[in-house]
Amino acid sequence: MIPLASPIRFQRAADQRLWDGPAPKFGEACVRCPVLIVGSGERPRLEEIRENLHARIAEAEREGWLGDVEQLTVSLSATDDRISQIDAKERRKNSPVSVGMPPIGQLVVREAENRDKTD
């Protein structure tokens, strides 16, 4: 499972120039990354990130940080997209798959045509 690092932590640190901690680990990723593949196990973490983003957007609007509101809204949209990807994957996993078998009526007709050719 890939732990999803909160984009807020990195965004706020970059804005305030206070980030002096270690660089993000290889397994951590921003939800806005286009190559991030999420599994169904990450859904609780994504929901937690979404709730945090709503709180951060409210704080940024209250403080008048319009640039932060825009960036946080982009992250919120990406988080919603990731959650919808998980939902779509679950729906596909639980839906029946057509293997292309022809109906019985077509099989009987083909068998009769094959008998006529061999006789």
Side-chain angles (χ1 to χ4, degrees):
M1 176 180 359
I2 299 172
L4 299 174
S6 172
I8 309 309
R9 185 176 83 182
F10 299 114
Q11 181 64 40
R12 289 183 64 129
D15 289 345
Q16 298 172 1
R17 305 288 186 248
L18 295 176
W19 182 257
D20 59 353
K25 295 177 186 168
F26 176 73
E28 296 178 347
C30 177
V31 293
R32 292 193 278 177
C33 179
V35 293
L36 176 66
I37 299 172
V38 293
S40 59
E42 280 108 12
R43 184 183 180 94
R45 176 69 177 134
L46 286 169
E47 290 173 350
E48 180 183 329
I49 289 172
R50 181 172 52 186
E51 290 172 15
N52 186 284
L53 285 168
H54 282 295
R56 297 290 182 185
I57 289 171
E59 177 188 7
E61 287 173 343
R62 189 175 56 249
E63 297 293 331
W65 303 331
L66 300 181
D68 289 351
V69 171
E70 183 178 343
Q71 290 300 315
L72 292 169
T73 303
V74 170
S75 294
L76 179 62
S77 174
T79 304
D80 289 337
D81 289 344
R82 298 295 178 195
I83 291 173
S84 66
Q85 287 174 6
I86 291 172
D87 292 343
K89 190 183 296 185
E90 288 298 315
R91 279 193 305 273
R92 281 193 307 271
K93 188 174 21 173
N94 295 331
S95 65
V97 176
S98 172
V99 293
M101 279 298 279
I104 297 294
Q106 288 181 354
L107 291 175
V108 172
V109 170
R110 286 183 187 168
E111 186 177 323
E113 289 174 355
N114 287 338
R115 267 193 250 142
D116 292 340
K117 289 180 185 176
T118 58
D119 290 337

